[in-house]
Amino acid sequence: MAADQTGGTVVTGRAHRFVTTGCLTVLIALITVLGVVVGSLWYRHWHDGTVNSDRRDEAYASILKQARADADDTARALGASGATDADTLTGVVWRHSKAPVITYDDSSRGFTATARRFTEYEGKAIWGGGPVRVTRCFVVIYTPGAGRAWTSRVSERDDAVCRPATEIDGLAQLVRKRIGSMYPEDLTKAGVRKALDPLGKQRSYDVRSVVREADTVTVLAVLSTADATTSQCYRVARPADDAIPDSTTAVPASSC
């Protein structure tokens, strides 16, 4: 007798339909889950970007506000100092602004200070985040007025304007550390030149004088950028008999 194929065929068809339906269900579930994941990641990316943008704007605004406040404080300090010589006033500007490049204008008897300022905000990201530094470049002009009054004008500039000042600042810190670490007996003009430029090939340092007075040695040197477009005179002072880098100062001077 021939085997009855009808029952087997029905069972097989049901099995195929079950498998097919199951596969479609699994596929739809996977697509749904993937869509939710992608959507969540996209939203998180958009949200983090918005938060970062707001925090960056707040950071920029904070830097500008602080720059203006410091400029006003410096202008008041210039008036309160009662000084008239350019060198002393240059020191006043530096103490309040820490600008690495400060130029004096003979005609207006004013000063121009150039420096970068920075702050940080906490950046958000899908896989974490962390502190993000933002910088702005400022040029501040200080002009004497009637009596002891001084005015300040803050201008934000392109970052390229501050690059020479940043380079000068790096040179000044290097000079301060090297001179501060020298043996007292080597604090001569030739000794300082050798400490700053052992191979005699650098054009960034021009040592003008080394003077020993009482317990202090003072070095006057012109620091210049690699392209020689920007120079700044610096006065470096340190204890005469002790090699203490932390006790050494490097302050811009009006002239060398």
Side-chain angles (χ1 to χ4, degrees):
M1 180 185 296
D4 186 355
Q5 302 292 328
T6 303
T9 302
V10 172
V11 172
T12 302
R14 288 177 179 174
H16 287 168
R17 285 195 298 273
F18 177 78
V19 171
T20 301
T21 302
C23 289
L24 287 174
T25 301
V26 172
L27 182 59
I28 292 171
L30 288 174
I31 292 174
T32 302
V33 171
L34 181 61
V36 171
V37 172
V38 171
S40 298
L41 290 175
W42 178 86
Y43 174 78
R44 176 66 186 277
H45 176 73
W46 171 83
H47 180 264
D48 289 351
T50 301
V51 171
N52 288 336
S53 180
D54 291 343
R55 290 180 178 178
R56 183 166 53 249
D57 291 343
E58 291 173 0
Y60 280 138
S62 173
I63 296 175
L64 178 58
K65 181 179 180 180
Q66 189 61 53
R68 288 173 173 168
D70 289 346
D72 290 342
D73 289 343
T74 303
R76 285 192 289 269
L78 286 167
S81 70
T84 57
D85 64 290
D87 202 42
T88 300
L89 292 172
T90 297
V92 173
V93 174
W94 182 82
R95 281 193 297 276
H96 287 80
S97 69
K98 292 299 185 289
V101 172
I102 303 171
T103 58
Y104 175 69
D105 187 339
D106 286 316
S107 60
S108 68
R109 294 181 296 112
F111 298 87
T112 300
T114 304
R116 278 192 181 116
R117 287 177 171 269
F118 71 90
T119 189
E120 293 182 344
Y121 67 89
E122 192 68 19
K124 292 180 66 65
I126 293 176
W127 306 118
V132 179
R133 174 178 289 197
V134 294
T135 62
R136 299 182 85 168
C137 173
F138 294 104
V139 173
V140 186
I141 297 176
Y142 299 97
T143 307
R148 291 187 175 184
W150 284 75
T151 60
S152 62
R153 186 170 76 251
V154 180
S155 300
E156 184 178 356
R157 301 293 181 84
D158 184 86
D159 188 65
V161 175
C162 282
R163 287 174 189 165
T166 302
E167 185 177 344
I168 293 291
D169 185 44
L171 293 173
Q173 297 310 313
L174 181 61
V175 167
R176 182 184 66 82
K177 292 177 181 178
R178 287 188 178 178
I179 292 178
S181 300
M182 292 179 64
Y183 292 116
E185 60 270 22
D186 293 333
L187 291 171
T188 63
K189 191 173 182 178
V192 172
R193 282 177 173 170
K194 184 176 182 180
L196 298 181
D197 183 15
L199 300 179
K201 297 181 179 180
Q202 291 284 346
R203 297 182 179 180
S204 299
Y205 315 104
D206 181 6
V207 180
R208 297 294 178 84
S209 65
V210 178
V211 178
R212 184 184 295 264
E213 293 181 344
D215 298 328
T216 304
V217 173
T218 302
V219 178
L220 282 179
V222 177
L223 310 185
S224 303
T225 56
D227 59 8
T229 58
T230 303
S231 298
Q232 176 68 52
C233 176
Y234 264 80
R235 177 181 290 103
V236 185
R238 57 153 284 176
D241 299 322
D242 297 301
I244 307 176
D246 290 341
S247 299
T248 302
T249 59
V251 180
S254 61
S255 64
C256 284

